[in-house]
Amino acid sequence: MMFKLTLKVLLSLSVMSASLSAYANVQGTPFNSGSFIWPFILGALAVIIPIAIAKLYHAFNKRTNNKLQSEQGVKVKPSGSHIALDAVTNLPVMKRGIDVLEKCIGKNSAQHYVAIAFKPINFEHVNNVLGHQNSDILLLQLAYKIQQKLEQHALLLNFGSKTHPLNICRLQGLDFVIVADRRQFKHEDKYVLDDICLQVTKSLPNSLSFKNFSLSFRLAFGIALGSEKHNATQLFSEASDALSLAEREQQQIWYFDEQSKVYTAKRLAKMEKLRLDIQENRLCSMIQPQVVLNTGELVGFEVNTKWKSSDGDVIEKKAFEAIAEFSGVIYQITKQLIRDALIVAKIANTMQENIKVGINLSSKDLLEPELADFIEQEANQHGIELKQLVIELDESVILTDTFRARMMIDQLRALGVNIAVDNFSGSYESLKYLRKASIQQVKIDCHHLNDKDIYQADKTIASALINLIRKMDIPVIAIGINNSGIREHYMSVGGEIGQGKLIHQGLTTNELQSWLDSRNVHRQAN
C-alpha cells in the first residue's frame, strides 16, 4: 500500500515537471526541472515517511499482540469482532450467551427456545491428579471436540459470528450451555432434545489424553424449556438448576420441573435476600489477627466478609460466593472488602508501622479490568502503601492461571501488592509455581491436625511442607488454629505464625482500635 502511494506521488511530480517544462518552452523561458522538483520530492518524502513508520509500527504491534495471545492460549478475535471469549476454552462467556438469547427473545418469544446446560461430571478427578493448569488443556480439548461436532447444527443458536460460528458458551466452572430453536423441531420436543444430548455425548472421543494420563468423560445435562414469561437469565438459571439436580440424582438428563422449581425458588430467594441485606449493610468485615504463636507478637491481619442475614445466620463469604456471582454483586462485595482492609491497615499503623493486611479474592475478581486501578486509587485515598496489602488467592485460582488472571496478578505485583497462596496443598504443580513465581506468603489449613486418627500422617505432611517452603524463604501462616491442641501440633512440626479462633474469634473494624489499645497496655505492663 505504501509502495503504491509513493509511486503515485512520484508519477504526479514527473507529470507536473514535464508540464511546466513544456509551458516554459512555449513562453521562451528556461526551466530548471531539478531546482524545481527537489523541494517537492523532499516535501513528499516528509509526508510519506512518517505515514510509513506509523503503518509499520501498527502492523508490528498487531502482530506482536496476536503472537502473545496465541502463546498464552487466547484465540485472537477477527478484526472488528467484539465477542468476549473465555480464556481457557475459547468459547463465548455467559454474558455473550445471555445477550444473544435476549435479542432472539425480543424478536420472537422465549417459548421458542430451550436451554441445555451440560458438564463433565467426573472432571474433578483430573484437577486432583494433574492440577488445574494441566486440566485446562484437557478442558480445551473437550470444548473443541464438542464445538467441532455442533458447528453446523441447524437447530442451535450461534453465539459467535457468521464467519466463525460458536454454538456453545461457558457458564460458571465446568458448566456449558447450548440453546435450541424449537421452531425448527420436526418431532416432539423430548425426542429432539434427547437426540441433541446424544450427539453432544457422541462428539467426545473414547478418551482424552495428556502426558501419561487419560480419561473418559461422562456428561450430565439439564434442560429448561422457555415460556412467554422467561428472560434469557432465567432460562439459563433453570437449565443450570436442572443440571445440578441431574448430578445430585445421578441422572444423565434432567428436565426442569416442579422439583426443580422448588430448588430454583430457594436459590432465587437467597439471591434476593442477599441483595436486600447488602442494601441494609448486613455484610460486614471480620478481622482475624495473625500472630507468632510462641510470643503472641502481632504480624498481620486477614479481613474476610461475613453475611449476617436477616434470619440470624452468619455465613462466610465462600459459602455465598456462588450466589453473589450469579446475582452480579460479587465485585461490589469485593470492593467493600478492599476498602475495609485499607481501613484496618490505617488503624493498625497508629500502633504498629507497616503491618500487613490480607484479603482473599476469587477468580472472578481477577477478571475485573479495573481491579488494579481501584486498589491503587483507594490506597492513595487512605494513605496506605500497597506493600502492606496481601492478596490471597486459592491455590486452585493460581494454578488455573488464565491469561487475563495472570495479567492482573502481574499488575498487582507491579503496584507493590504482596501475593499469597491460600489453602496450599503441596502438590507438584503448586510447588513448581512457588519456585518460579514471586510469592510472599503461603497459607496452609491446619484444623485437621487435632484429629488423632489421621494425626500422624498429616503431621508428617505438614512438617515436610513447612520445611520445604522455608527453604524457599517464604513465610508460612497456618489457618485453623482453633484450639491449643492444634497450636501445639503445628508448633511441634516447626510452625511459627498462625491465625484462628484460639487467637481471636474475629473483630469488626469498630472493635479493632480498642483491641489494639488493650494489647498495647498489656505489652507495656509486661
Side-chain angles (χ1 to χ4, degrees):
M1 186 174 178
M2 288 307 304
F3 174 75
K4 288 181 180 179
L5 178 62
T6 307
L7 187 61
K8 284 180 181 178
V9 172
L10 292 176
L11 285 172
S12 299
L13 290 172
S14 299
V15 171
M16 188 186 297
S17 175
S19 300
L20 289 171
S21 180
Y23 176 77
N25 288 335
V26 170
Q27 298 294 322
T29 306
F31 173 71
N32 185 345
S33 61
S35 62
F36 173 81
I37 203 68
W38 277 111
F40 279 95
I41 291 174
L42 292 173
L45 290 175
V47 174
I48 291 167
I49 289 173
I51 294 174
I53 292 171
K55 290 276 185 184
L56 289 170
Y57 177 78
H58 176 73
F60 174 77
N61 237 8
K62 186 175 179 182
R63 184 178 177 184
T64 303
N65 288 340
N66 288 354
K67 183 179 179 183
L68 177 63
Q69 291 187 16
S70 178
E71 286 172 354
Q72 302 294 346
V74 179
K75 182 167 285 188
V76 180
K77 293 178 276 188
S79 178
S81 172
H82 299 286
I83 299 171
L85 299 180
D86 174 60
V88 174
T89 61
N90 288 331
L91 294 175
V93 297
M94 180 170 66
K95 186 178 184 306
R96 169 67 181 178
I98 289 173
D99 289 345
V100 170
L101 180 54
E102 203 61 66
K103 286 180 181 177
C104 293
I105 291 172
K107 292 178 181 177
N108 305 295
S109 169
Q111 65 182 349
H112 296 310
Y113 300 100
V114 183
I116 306 171
F118 62 92
K119 70 182 293 187
I121 56 176
N122 54 336
F123 200 83
E124 287 300 326
H125 178 56
V126 184
N127 287 337
N128 294 335
V129 175
L130 294 180
H132 287 266
Q133 191 168 12
N134 291 328
S135 64
D136 280 350
I137 297 172
L138 281 178
L139 190 62
L140 176 62
Q141 289 184 50
L142 172 75
Y144 174 76
K145 292 289 184 182
I146 298 174
Q147 173 56 38
Q148 193 178 37
K149 176 71 174 179
L150 302 180
E151 195 168 40
Q152 303 300 326
H153 204 295
L155 302 181
L156 302 182
L157 290 191
N158 176 17
F159 301 119
S161 62
K162 290 181 179 179
T163 56
H164 186 60
L166 294 167
N167 305 102
I168 313 170
C169 83
R170 188 176 184 183
L171 298 179
Q172 301 177 57
L174 298 171
D175 294 7
F176 300 87
V177 71
I178 54 180
V179 177
D181 187 342
R182 295 166 77 182
R183 294 172 300 172
Q184 308 296 324
F185 291 7
K186 295 181 180 179
H187 303 282
E188 291 183 6
D189 287 351
K190 190 175 186 307
Y191 177 83
V192 177
L193 294 169
D194 286 355
D195 184 65
I196 291 173
C197 294
L198 180 62
Q199 290 180 51
V200 174
T201 303
K202 285 185 174 180
S203 69
L204 299 178
N206 292 331
S207 65
L208 291 173
S209 300
F210 179 78
K211 296 182 179 178
N212 294 323
F213 184 85
S214 64
L215 179 72
S216 296
F217 286 109
R218 291 184 294 113
L219 299 179
F221 297 86
I223 300 176
L225 281 73
S227 68
E228 291 182 353
K229 298 180 180 179
H230 278 99
N231 60 34
T233 303
Q234 290 169 338
L235 199 55
F236 278 11
S237 176
E238 289 184 1
S240 294
D241 291 342
L243 175 59
S244 297
L245 286 167
E247 189 176 10
R248 192 180 74 182
E249 301 296 330
Q250 298 184 351
Q251 299 291 320
Q252 185 181 21
I253 301 174
W254 191 281
Y255 284 80
F256 190 84
D257 53 13
E258 291 302 319
Q259 182 180 347
S260 308
K261 285 181 182 177
V262 173
Y263 182 83
T264 299
K266 288 180 179 178
R267 189 163 79 159
L268 289 174
K270 282 186 178 179
M271 289 167 64
E272 180 62 15
K273 186 187 289 186
L274 175 61
R275 187 183 64 80
L276 292 174
D277 284 351
I278 289 173
Q279 291 177 359
E280 295 176 6
N281 296 319
R282 290 186 177 275
L283 268 64
C284 65
S285 293
M286 297 300 290
I287 306 159
Q288 280 280 344
Q290 298 168 341
V291 301
V292 179
L293 296 174
N294 64 345
T295 65
E297 178 191 354
L298 181 66
V299 295
F301 292 106
E302 181 182 353
V303 185
N304 290 308
T305 301
K306 288 192 176 182
W307 175 16
K308 294 183 177 180
S309 69
S310 51
D311 56 13
D313 294 334
V314 179
I315 309 168
E316 300 280 351
K317 183 187 174 189
K318 288 185 179 179
F320 66 85
E321 202 166 65
I323 296 172
E325 285 180 1
F326 214 90
S327 304
V329 297
I330 185 66
Y331 188 49
Q332 179 184 344
I333 294 170
T334 298
K335 289 201 289 187
Q336 187 57 51
L337 178 63
I338 292 167
R339 293 188 190 100
D340 288 347
L342 294 170
I343 290 170
V344 169
K346 192 169 186 176
I347 294 171
N349 284 351
T350 62
M351 307 294 294
Q352 187 172 342
E353 192 174 347
N354 292 334
I355 195 167
K356 287 184 168 58
V357 180
I359 55 172
N360 192 287
L361 299 188
S362 70
S363 57
K364 297 289 183 186
D365 293 325
L366 291 177
L367 299 181
E368 292 292 339
E370 64 152 18
L371 176 65
D373 291 338
F374 176 79
I375 289 174
E376 184 177 25
Q377 179 184 343
E378 289 294 319
N380 290 336
Q381 287 182 5
H382 288 84
I384 301 298
E385 294 184 28
L386 283 172
K387 65 182 181 181
Q388 285 186 253
L389 186 63
V390 180
I391 298 297
E392 300 174 5
L393 301 169
D394 273 9
E395 182 183 279
S396 59
V397 173
I398 283 185
L399 294 184
T400 301
D401 207 21
T402 62
F403 176 68
R404 285 171 64 191
R406 192 181 314 156
M407 291 291 287
M408 181 54 68
I409 292 171
D410 288 344
Q411 284 185 54
L412 294 171
R413 281 200 186 105
L415 292 174
V417 175
N418 299 282
I419 304 296
V421 181
D422 201 3
N423 292 318
F424 188 73
S425 69
S427 68
Y428 172 74
E429 286 297 325
S430 58
L431 286 168
K432 190 167 71 171
Y433 188 92
L434 282 190
R435 184 176 56 82
K436 69 179 183 179
S438 177
I439 298 295
Q440 283 73 43
Q441 278 184 14
V442 169
K443 305 187 78 173
I444 59 175
D445 189 354
C446 292
H447 76 276
H448 53 276
L449 286 181
N450 204 36
D451 191 330
K452 294 180 180 179
D453 294 334
I454 59 172
Y455 164 64
Q456 193 57 47
D458 281 354
K459 182 177 178 181
T460 304
I461 293 169
S463 177
L465 273 179
I466 291 166
N467 290 324
L468 191 58
I469 297 167
R470 269 183 177 168
K471 289 179 180 178
M472 299 180 186
D473 293 325
I474 302 173
V476 180
I477 298 176
I479 56 177
I481 305 295
N482 297 331
N483 56 54
S484 57
I486 296 175
R487 181 183 63 184
E488 289 169 9
H489 292 328
Y490 176 62
M491 292 176 66
S492 70
V493 296
E496 295 179 349
I497 303 171
Q499 66 181 72
K501 293 178 181 177
L502 180 67
I503 295 140
H504 204 286
Q505 293 287 331
L507 295 154
T508 65
T509 50
N510 294 331
E511 297 167 339
L512 179 60
Q513 185 67 65
S514 60
W515 183 80
L516 287 170
D517 289 340
S518 63
R519 275 182 60 90
N520 192 42
V521 169
H522 180 72
R523 186 172 55 186
Q524 289 175 355
N526 293 333

